[in-house]
Every structure is written in structure tokens, then in C-alpha cells.
Amino acid sequence: MTRAQRLREAFTSGRGAHWHPTDALVRGLALGVGMVVLGGLLHEVELVLFGAPLLISTLLALITPVTGTPTVKVHGLPRTGEIGAAKSIVEVDPGTGAEVLAIRLPDPVAGGIGVVHLMPATAREIDVVLRRDAWGEGVDLRPDHLVAGPDALFVHGPITAVERGRVILPPVEALPAGLLPARAVGLVGAHRARRPGDSVELRDIRAFQPGDRLRRIDWRVSLRTSAMAGTAEGTYLHVREHHAEADADVVLALDTRQDVGAELGEWATPARATTVHPLGRSLGEWSLASRGTTVRPGGSLDLAVRAAASLGAGYLRQGDRVGLVDLGRPQLGARPGVGRRQLLRLRNQLVVCARSAGWAQRPVLRPEQVPHGALVVVLSPFLDAEVVELAVHAARRGNLVLAVDVLPQPLRPDPEARWGVSALKVIRLEHDVRLEAMRQHGVAVVPWGAPIAGVLRQARTERRLSR
């Protein structure tokens, strides 16, 4: 029996975390003693020549001290990360007298906890590459290990290690944020407010009033007006009035009640919450279900989360305050804030919302969750009338509402259903009717991926003209 075969047998034996002999040691002693004794009794030299080396090697393994408790520790594994590859270090202390280490290491190409690797016990630090190609929670590393002594006759383990994972944050794409309705809370910000103030954008030219600053006087208009009136008195002085620049509030309203893909035949099938990773076969057939989110790759919720992360990053980059509301579970939202820390908080909360996603009868957007004058961005596939009513009510309260359609396109009918094509036509027509109804009530509608700057500018102009 080879050393690899002995290690495979030790892995599948299911014994505890202590040094213990393998079945190969018992067989080696029994077979070596038996062949030597039988060769001496029968005067067969061949039996003695075959049995003596086996008996001697077994006895040498018995007298070789194998002590200590092997330990495996993971260093440099952050709690959060980005999509792609990351590095970590596995520190190994195999104990005294160990010769071979069998340890499970992640696959740097396919990801997952990987296969079992054989290496000498002299290895102390092992550099591992962790790879995740999708956002969400998941297991990156589980260093199951087994340490073997001389000739694998004594082993420690196998040890099922603790699962180590990370939260992969949703990716952020660089997108133009577009114009926003401003909330005049100060004289700083990136957006134009309705009230007059100090900025570079001209609002009006009016007559001079007591309290106006002299540096705001427009001397050309003042001299021309005085010349036309035939006098140079101060009553004909005019000043330039500018718009104030203010911060803006943005509320990202995420619809987590539905998660559909492009295949209509899969809409009734819930997304799988686990992914089975193939493990190595050289040292036994093992399997592990890695925890993950219940988000369909490329589905509506996946697109909505990516869009929310990208829009939030764009608005925060302008200095605005951005908050998050889960329409299905309002308690999972995040208060408006600014800065890089707020972006990290939003991306983490998006993962939490996706993890708790599920059907709710009605979407909820409370008035206290939306500051006055804030831009409300509703990210939904708009497959029911309830979310449409929510967007319309938010617009009636005086907020500028942007409806971002995240329904995957193009939709494909169920090939196994008799009325698959007809059902697809009905779904498309109902979806178009909902979007048009929101437009008729002053809600700006745009599919995800289309530029939003012009849509928001037109919506703001129409609101100003309607007043």
C-alpha cells in the first residue's frame, strides 16, 4: 500500500483529533511478524526476506517520536472584499516528527474551497489565492487537514476546519449621475437651489435694495438704465442675483420582493441559496455546500443591487446624502449619509437586503424615510401595480421620482409551455402599461443602462412648468 493510499484511508476513517495508528500499522506488524515466523518454521528464506523489511520499517515507525498537536491558522482574510482574486496566508504547525501534510486549499481559478493537496510537513506558511466572481456572502476557505508521521503509520486527524468567508460587495460602475433636485439646507453643494445665494449661475437682475452688497452691482445695466432715464441717481442701480448651491438627498428604494431572470420558465423556480463546489478525488469524495445569496445571476435583483451601488457611488462622489430603503423589509434600510464610509455602509446593506429578499404583499415607503425635496430612485422590475402606486404617491408628495426598470431584456418564453409566447406578450404589454402610467403621473422612467441625465432634466422642467 502506497503512502497516498494510506492517507486516503486515514481521511475516510473518521477518527478524532489525536494521534492514532492507521490500519496499515496493524497490517504491517501482523504481516511482517507472520512472514518472518512462517519462513523460520518452514525454512523458507524468501518469506523471511520479504517479511523482515516490512517488520523493520514498522518497528522504526513505532520508535520514532510523533508528538505535539498540529494547528492550522488563517491570516490576512478580510471581512469584506471586491470581486476577483485576493490573497491570504495559511500558517501550519505540524508538530514534532510529522512528515506529510494533507490540506484542503482553495482553487485560484474556479474558486471554492478547492481540493486536498499533499505537501511536506516542513511547510510553515502557505500563500493561497481566494477567488470570487460574484458578489454576496460565501465561503472562501476551509483548511481541512491531516498530518501523517513516518510512512503514514501514525496520523493526526482528519480535522474539519472552521469555514472562513467574506462578504463580496456589489461592484460599482462609473456612471453619470445627472441633475438632482436640490434641498436648500446651506450655501454649499453641487446642485442649484431655488433660493438666491452665492454661486456662478445667474438667477435674475433686479433693482438695488438696502442690504445688497456693492460687489453685486451690475454697472453696465445700471448705467444703461440711468442713461435711458436721463439721471444717475442710485435708485436706478441694479444687482446680479445668483442661485444658491445646496446639497441634495437621494433615497435608493430597492424592490427585493421579486427576483426574475430572462427565462420565463424559471420564474416559478426559487433561486438556489447554495452552490456545490467540486472537491478533490485523490483523497476521498468530499462535498460542501457553500453559503450564498438567493440572487439569480443576471436577474432583476442582481441588476437592481448593482445599479443601486453604482448610483449611490456617483451621488456620493458629488457630495450628496444617499440613503437606502428596502421596499419589502423597511427595517433593513440605511439612513442618508455622505462620504466613503456611507458608500461602504450602503454596499454592505445591499448584501443584507439581498440575503433577506423574498415576497412581500405590499411595498412600503414611509414618509419619514424620504426627506423633503429628496430624489427617490425606485429600482424594480415593475411586475405589479403596488410598486407603481408607491412611485406615484412619492411623486405626489413633492419628490422627484426616478423609476429605474431592471427587468432583464430580452425576455424569453418558456419553450415547454403551450402558451409561452402568448404569455410573454401579455407580460410585456402589462409592463409597458405600468411604465406609461408612471410617466403620465410625473415619474421619470428609464431602463437600467440608459443615460438618466436628460430624463431627470426633463422631469424637473415639467414639474416647474406645471406649478
Side-chain angles (χ1 to χ4, degrees), residues 225-362:
T225 305
S226 300
M228 294 176 60
T231 179
E233 296 181 1
T235 55
Y236 290 94
L237 292 177
H238 288 73
V239 296
R240 301 173 63 90
E241 188 176 80
H242 298 81
H243 284 282
E245 291 181 345
D247 298 322
D249 286 310
V250 181
V251 176
L252 303 173
L254 183 67
D255 187 3
T256 60
R257 302 174 304 123
Q258 298 174 340
D259 184 17
V260 296
E263 299 289 342
L264 263 66
E266 299 178 356
W267 282 19
T269 305
R272 296 182 179 179
T274 58
T275 304
V276 178
H277 297 279
L279 305 183
R281 298 183 178 181
S282 60
L283 296 177
E285 299 288 342
W286 286 26
S287 64
L288 173 70
S290 174
R291 293 192 302 271
T293 60
T294 58
V295 175
R296 301 176 188 270
S300 60
L301 187 54
D302 184 19
L303 295 178
V305 170
R306 293 172 179 266
S310 302
L311 291 174
Y315 288 124
L316 288 172
R317 194 178 300 115
Q318 295 183 1
D320 302 322
R321 291 180 295 273
V322 181
L324 175 66
V325 176
D326 189 337
L327 299 181
R329 290 155 184 81
Q331 69 275 9
L332 299 181
R335 289 185 174 183
V338 296
R340 294 183 178 180
R341 181 174 296 181
Q342 178 68 7
L343 177 59
L344 181 61
R345 184 182 297 110
L346 288 176
R347 296 173 71 189
N348 276 281
Q349 200 64 26
L350 286 171
V351 176
V352 174
C353 294
R355 181 183 59 193
S356 305
W359 172 249
Q361 186 174 3
R362 291 187 63 86

Side-chain angles (χ1 to χ4, degrees), residues 54-311:
L54 184 60
L55 180 60
I56 294 173
S57 62
T58 305
L59 293 175
L60 289 176
L62 285 173
I63 64 176
T64 302
V66 182
T67 59
T69 302
T71 58
V72 174
K73 299 180 181 179
V74 179
H75 299 282
L77 185 63
R79 297 177 59 185
T80 60
E82 303 289 341
I83 291 179
K87 292 184 178 181
S88 181
I89 298 176
V90 177
E91 182 179 335
V92 181
D93 182 8
T96 305
E99 288 188 355
V100 180
L101 170 67
I103 186 171
R104 190 180 304 278
L105 298 177
D107 191 340
V109 178
I113 63 173
V115 299
V116 177
H117 297 262
L118 289 179
M119 57 186 61
T122 55
R124 292 295 184 269
E125 290 187 355
I126 306 172
D127 295 331
V128 296
V129 178
L130 311 174
R131 186 171 187 85
R132 294 272 296 281
D133 295 326
W135 61 268
E137 296 178 338
V139 178
D140 292 280
L141 179 63
R142 199 187 75 177
D144 305 333
H145 58 277
L146 180 143
V147 180
D151 294 328
L153 299 180
F154 282 91
V155 296
H156 185 281
I159 304 297
T160 302
V162 178
E163 295 178 351
R164 302 293 297 273
R166 296 173 298 159
V167 176
I168 301 300
L169 302 177
V172 174
E173 302 176 4
L175 299 173
L179 299 179
L180 291 176
R183 181 188 179 198
V185 296
L187 296 179
V188 292
H191 308 284
R192 189 182 68 182
R194 298 176 182 175
R195 63 193 291 263
D198 293 324
S199 72
V200 297
E201 187 173 355
L202 181 65
R203 183 174 183 266
D204 193 12
I205 297 179
R206 58 174 176 81
F208 182 86
Q209 298 176 357
D212 288 337
R213 298 181 179 180
L214 296 179
R215 63 183 178 87
R216 291 184 179 179
I217 297 177
D218 191 323
W219 294 106
R220 290 185 178 181
V221 176
S222 300
L223 292 175
R224 185 166 57 250
T225 305
S226 300
M228 294 176 60
T231 179
E233 296 181 1
T235 55
Y236 290 94
L237 292 177
H238 288 73
V239 296
R240 301 173 63 90
E241 188 176 80
H242 298 81
H243 284 282
E245 291 181 345
D247 298 322
D249 286 310
V250 181
V251 176
L252 303 173
L254 183 67
D255 187 3
T256 60
R257 302 174 304 123
Q258 298 174 340
D259 184 17
V260 296
E263 299 289 342
L264 263 66
E266 299 178 356
W267 282 19
T269 305
R272 296 182 179 179
T274 58
T275 304
V276 178
H277 297 279
L279 305 183
R281 298 183 178 181
S282 60
L283 296 177
E285 299 288 342
W286 286 26
S287 64
L288 173 70
S290 174
R291 293 192 302 271
T293 60
T294 58
V295 175
R296 301 176 188 270
S300 60
L301 187 54
D302 184 19
L303 295 178
V305 170
R306 293 172 179 266
S310 302
L311 291 174

